[in-house]
Structure formats: C-alpha cells, structure tokens
C-alpha cells in the first residue's frame, strides 16, 4: 500500500470533506487489512481524534464507536451477555491479541470481507449502523447497498437474552474460516452463514420455514438441508463447494439443537 | 512527515514516510530487539506494546503511534529478566528470536490479568509463534512468572 499523506482529523466533518475531495482519499480504521492490499492512497484519514473508540452502555443498548478495537469489544462484559455472547466468541477467534488490538469494528463492517467472522453474528443480532450522511441502516441493508463513500460512526446493539450459537470452522486458529454459522433464538429464529466463501447472508427462506413450524428433529433437519442445498457456496484454496455444503448442514443442525434445547 | 514518538519514556522526533510501519521505524532507530518475521501480521515476533497493549508493529502505521506510549523489551528489562529466568529453568527457549515479543506479550498479560490460568495464557499467546521450542515449557515458565510475587 502506498500513502501520499496522513492526517489525523479533528472532526467527522473534516474527515467527510476530505473523503469527498478525491476518490483516492481513504478512511483508516486500524489499518490492519489495508496493509494486506496494494491500494494507492492519496490522503489517509485517521479518525483517532474523533472520539469514536468508546462503548457506551445504555439501559437497552450498547453503542459502539466504529474505532473501537476488536480486543476492547472482546473484553466488554455486557457484550458477553448479549445473544449468548456470539459476537465476543466470533471476535476472540480472530488472529492473536496483537492484531485484535489494532483492527477495529468499523473496518470489519465497512470492509464487507467475504471471510468475515464478524458480519455473520451481527446479521442475526438486533443491531443498527449509523453513518455520518447516509444515516441509520441494518447490517442487511448495508450489505445490499453499493459501496458508500461515507463514514461509519457507530453500531448500536440491542441488549437481549436471546439464545445464540456461533461456530467458525477453521483449519488452524490463525486461519480464515472455511465456513461460519450464527444463529439466535428469541421470539423467532435467525440464521446466517458466512465465508461460503462469499460474504455472510441471512438465510431468509429457511428462517421463514422454521419460524412457522413446530421445532423438532424433522424441522431442524429440513432447515439444515434447505440451507445446504439452496445457498450459494463456492470453492477456493481452503475447501470445495461440496465440502462447505456438507459441513454447513452439520453445523446448522448443531446450532439449531443448541438454541432450541 | 515528522512524528514525535514516545519510546520507553524517551521522546524521539523522527522523519518517516506516511506508509512506514512501526516495526521499520523502530529498527531504523536502533531498536533491534524488535524482530522482523513474517511481515504479514501472522507470527507475532514484531510485537511491541502501545499504551501497554501488545501490537503487531509490522501492521501498525508509525503515523498512528504518535501520541501513544511505545514500549520495547528495553523498557521492561527487569520483567524480561524475571521471565527469562523461568524460561531458562524450564528449557523453554532455543534460538531466542521470539523472546522479546514473548516477554512483552506476557508482561501485558500480567498487567491485564495477573491471575491468568493456563487456558487464558494459551489464548493470549495464540498469535506468538515459536518455531523451535514448542509451547508446553513456555506455558509452565509463564505460569511460574505470573505466580512470582516479587
Ligand atoms: C492477518 C489478518 C487476518 C485476519 N483474519 C480474520 C479472520 O479470520 N476473520 C475475520 O473476521 N477477520 C479477519 N481479519 C480482518 C480483521 O478482523 C478486520 O476486520 C480488518 O483488519 C479490518 O479492520 P481494520 O480496523 O484493520 O480496518 P482498515 O484496514 O483500517 O479498513 C478496512 C476498510 O474499512 C474502511 N473503514 C474503516 N473504518 C471506517 C469507518 N469508520 N467508516 C468508513 N470506512 C471505514 C477503510 O477505508 C477500508 O476500506 C484479519 C485481518 C488480518 C490483518
């Protein structure tokens, strides 16, 4: 990666104006993933001084600034209680502490990484993103929009005691997931599958099915087979499409059994 | 660009490129205890502390480090020596290339969670690879170091 100029801006307004000035200007979160790229950045815009690295606890929500590091999230006691702690579980499996102290939640969302272990649980949690100009949207809405030239300010996660399941199948602890699965069960069941190897997606058809059925072994098996047969999977150096289909089926069943038991 | 860095409580005024990483800045300024390993965020051998937290310096832009407190192993010599003694007792090191980063990470763990159990030690050190000794004897040495009340 090449960087022409580096600015620690003092306000979001200043960051936004700089971002609009040139298509080669870029926001940096922790910069951990940007390091792996060969981008040519004219001006790197660092939000460190914009007070976006706080986690604010309200009665019903946690409001997480986009510059909060993955490690700070992982150590947050309240987040461990939400939806069975699936976001904390997902984060703590990513690389080592010395990378999680750099990488931010904002970069992890805006990057829309196909290998992401973070988007998968966020999709099944009750959470909202707030952008500086584009306002509020759900993760699902964000993932279905084109690239925004905007700044993610914070992520609001609703506190809930829903049951939750997260599993990332990795060959070694420092590797990317071959597949990951997140499930929550409150009034209804939500299911997301990621690293297929394309970006995480909610399994809406299977969710419609199971949420209108009496949950028993037969319904669980049918949900798992709907997801493994109908979802788009692919092959890459980590695993074949066929292997991904097969293990997704297993982990969906395990997850559904766990959250409905 | 010029940046002012606080390294081991000493102020350095250095000229760096905006795309320079802290690893290179530290080595260019004679902190050779900071090792270059994979240079791709994976091995942990370049770990230093930024505000007492372990950071992979190969992945952390020097420009980001301004305004923060950087610690290399030279800044925690007496703690590194204590850990080194336990490592020696356990035969837990060989080539020594990963020792400075290990000492810094273990010291950060001590600050964060002095009562860490074996599982927590393992989880904290997952990003610090050692390619000669193996981890069992290291973990024993670290447990003994954390148990030291001196
Ligand atoms: C070696 C390595 C291995 C990894 N393995 C995994 C893994 O197994 N699973 C996993 O889920 N993740 C993994 N990650 C990714 C990591 O978890 C982060 O998601 C990633 O580093 C992005 O976070 P960042 O803060 O570094 O973002 P950056 O690299 O700084 O930025 C990423 C993108 O987001 C944009 N951006 C950042 N912040 C904002 C903002 N506030 N508003 C608008 N745009 C913004 C940037 O412009 C850039 O396009 C890995 C990363 C590395 C370096």
């Amino acid at each position: 990666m090449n960087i022409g100029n580096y600015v620690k801006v003092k306000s979001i307004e200043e960051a936004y104006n700089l971002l609009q000035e040139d298509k080669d200007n870029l926001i940096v979160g922790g910069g951990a993933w940007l390091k792996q790229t060969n981008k040519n950045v004219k001006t790197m815009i660092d939000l460190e001084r914009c007070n976006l690295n706080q986690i604010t606890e309200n009665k019903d929500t946690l409001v997480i600034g986009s510059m909060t590091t993955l490690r700070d999230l992982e150590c947050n006691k309240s987040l461990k209680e939400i939806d069975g702690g699936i976001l904390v579980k997902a984060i703590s499996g990513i690389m080592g502490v010395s990378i999680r102290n750099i990488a931010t939640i904002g970069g992890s969302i805006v990057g829309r990484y196909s290998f992401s272990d973070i988007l998968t649980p966020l999709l099944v949690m009750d959470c909202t993103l707030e952008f500086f100009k584009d306002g509020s949207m759900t993760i699902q809405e964000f993932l279905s929009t084109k690239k925004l030239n905007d700044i993610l300010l914070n992520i609001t996660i609703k506190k809930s005691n829903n049951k939750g399941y997260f599993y990332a199948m990795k060959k070694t602890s420092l590797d990317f997931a071959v597949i990951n699965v997140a499930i929550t069960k409150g009034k209804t069941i939500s299911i997301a599958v990621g690293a297929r190897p394309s970006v995480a997606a909610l399994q809406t058809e299977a969710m419609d099915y199971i949420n209108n059925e009496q949950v028993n072994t037969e319904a669980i098996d049918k949900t798992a087979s709907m997801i493994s047969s109908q979802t788009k999977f692919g092959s890459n150096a980590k695993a074949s499409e066929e292997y991904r289909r097969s293990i997704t089926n297993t982990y969906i069943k395990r997850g559904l059994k766990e959250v409905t038991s | 660009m010029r940046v002012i860095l606080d390294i081991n409580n000493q102020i350095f005024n250095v000229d760096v490129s905006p795309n320079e990483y802290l690893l290179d800045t530290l080595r260019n300024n004679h902190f050779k205890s900071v090792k270059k390993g994979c240079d791709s965020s994976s091995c942990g051998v370049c770990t230093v502390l930024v505000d007492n937290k372990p950071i992979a310096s190969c992945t952390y832009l020097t420009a980001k480090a301004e305004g923060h407190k950087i610690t290399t192993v030279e800044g925690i010599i007496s703690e590194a020596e204590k850990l080194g003694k336990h490592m020696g007792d356990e035969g837990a090191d060989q080539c020594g290339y990963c020792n400075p980063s290990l000492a810094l990470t273990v010291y950060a763990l001590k600050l964060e969670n002095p009562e860490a159990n074996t599982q927590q030690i393992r989880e904290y050190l997952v990003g610090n690879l050692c390619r000669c000794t193996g981890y069992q004897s290291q973990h024993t040495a670290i447990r003994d170091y954390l148990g030291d009340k001196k």
Side-chain angles (χ1 to χ4, degrees):
Chain A
M1 178 178 54
N2 273 315
I3 307 171
N5 189 20
Y6 195 99
V7 187
K8 284 190 179 177
V9 291
K10 293 198 185 65
S11 70
I12 306 289
E13 195 82 52
E14 185 189 349
Y16 185 79
N17 291 339
L18 261 177
L19 187 62
Q20 307 308 312
E21 238 170 52
D22 194 300
K23 68 171 181 36
D24 290 330
N25 291 355
L26 200 67
I27 303 286
V28 59
W33 194 257
L34 284 171
K35 167 169 171 130
Q36 317 288 329
T37 69
N38 51 10
K39 285 189 195 300
N40 264 318
V41 182
K42 195 168 169 197
T43 298
M44 192 64 110
I45 308 160
D46 190 332
L47 305 173
E48 183 188 291
R49 294 184 181 152
C50 297
N51 219 11
L52 290 173
N53 62 348
Q54 313 287 326
I55 305 176
T56 311
E57 181 152 9
N58 302 316
K59 187 166 162 272
D60 299 322
T61 58
L62 276 192
V63 181
I64 301 161
S66 61
M67 290 293 284
T68 305
T69 64
L70 298 186
R71 179 71 184 158
D72 282 349
L73 280 173
E74 177 190 356
C75 296
N76 186 279
K77 288 210 173 76
S78 303
L79 192 57
K80 286 183 186 156
E81 304 299 318
I82 302 178
D83 294 328
I86 53 172
L87 186 57
V88 169
K89 187 169 180 206
I91 286 174
S92 57
I94 297 172
M95 296 301 288
V97 171
S98 66
I99 293 297
R100 302 201 295 274
N101 271 327
I102 299 176
T104 62
I105 185 73
S108 303
I109 293 171
V110 177
R112 305 180 197 217
Y113 303 112
S114 57
F115 54 75
S116 179
D117 293 313
I118 294 176
L119 293 172
T120 317
L122 283 178
L123 273 166
V124 296
M125 296 171 80
D126 189 343
C127 75
T128 314
L129 309 179
E130 192 194 344
F131 285 88
F132 184 55
K133 288 289 173 189
D134 288 296
S136 296
M137 60 186 83
T138 63
I139 289 272
Q140 209 188 356
E141 284 163 347
F142 169 69
L143 292 178
S144 55
T145 60
K146 285 211 186 101
K147 187 177 177 290
L148 305 172
N149 201 28
D150 201 350
I151 297 168
L152 177 61
L153 300 179
N154 49 54
I155 301 102
T156 301
I157 299 183
K158 193 149 179 238
K159 288 183 182 170
S160 88
N161 291 327
N162 291 343
K163 281 192 167 181
Y165 171 88
F166 175 81
Y167 188 79
M169 158 83 184
K170 296 188 177 192
K171 288 183 180 165
T172 71
S173 52
L174 299 183
D175 206 350
F176 292 122
V178 166
I179 201 82
N180 57 39
V181 170
I183 306 177
T184 49
K185 182 182 179 294
K187 282 194 186 117
T188 58
I189 292 173
S190 300
I191 309 169
V193 182
R196 295 170 288 118
S198 43
V199 76
L202 268 182
Q203 303 300 310
T204 45
E205 226 173 286
M207 282 158 53
D208 279 349
Y209 165 74
I210 191 137
N211 284 318
N212 288 303
E213 285 291 315
Q214 180 79 26
V215 180
N216 53 28
T217 311
E218 206 180 302
I220 287 176
D221 287 353
K222 174 134 189 241
T223 309
S225 83
M226 277 174 84
I227 292 171
S228 55
S229 62
Q230 294 167 8
T231 307
K232 191 167 172 273
F233 290 89
S235 299
N236 63 6
K238 305 233 166 289
S240 67
E241 177 185 341
E242 198 183 4
Y243 181 69
R244 285 191 160 97
R245 271 187 207 290
S246 170
I247 59 168
T248 300
N249 188 294
T250 302
Y251 288 111
I252 296 284
K253 279 191 213 164
R254 283 189 194 171
L256 283 173
K257 278 184 192 149
E258 197 172 304
V259 298
T260 56
S261 64
Chain B
M1 64 190 283
R2 289 212 80 79
V3 289
I4 297 172
L5 299 178
D6 174 342
I7 308 170
N8 302 329
N9 294 324
Q10 257 190 292
I11 302 300
F12 291 76
N13 194 325
V14 290
D15 199 15
V16 297
S17 139
N19 52 330
E20 189 167 310
Y21 285 90
L22 187 57
L23 166 64
D24 297 308
T25 308
L26 289 169
R27 287 186 63 81
N28 291 342
N29 284 278
H30 312 294
F31 290 95
K32 301 284 188 197
S33 67
V34 187
K35 304 296 187 211
K36 195 168 209 160
C38 68
D39 201 17
S40 60
S41 322
S42 298
C43 72
V45 86
C46 64
T47 303
V48 298
L49 305 186
V50 173
D51 299 333
N52 281 333
K53 293 177 176 177
I55 295 281
S57 63
C58 76
T59 306
Y60 191 73
L61 286 161
T62 304
K64 269 197 170 290
E66 196 171 35
H68 298 280
K69 203 171 136 28
I70 302 157
T71 311
T72 68
V73 79
E74 291 84 353
I76 59 152
I77 284 294
S78 71
E79 291 295 323
E81 277 172 1
K82 282 185 212 163
L83 177 65
K85 171 149 190 338
H86 290 296
M87 297 277 283
D89 290 346
E90 291 300 323
D93 53 3
Q94 288 179 46
C95 81
Y97 200 70
C98 66
N99 282 13
S101 59
L102 184 72
L104 286 160
T105 310
V106 171
Y107 176 65
L109 171 64
K110 183 177 172 178
L111 296 179
E112 214 178 295
N113 182 8
E115 310 290 332
N117 60 32
T118 305
Q119 183 58 24
Q120 289 165 327
I121 293 171
R122 282 202 183 122
E123 283 167 8
Y124 206 82
L125 292 173
V126 83
N128 288 72
L129 303 185
C130 167
R131 283 294 175 254
C132 37
T133 311
Y135 301 102
Q136 201 58 46
S137 49
Q138 283 186 2
H139 293 156
T140 309
I142 294 164
R143 261 201 322 268
D144 291 347
Y145 163 75
L146 292 179
D148 254 350
K149 297 293 174 231
K150 283 167 264 155

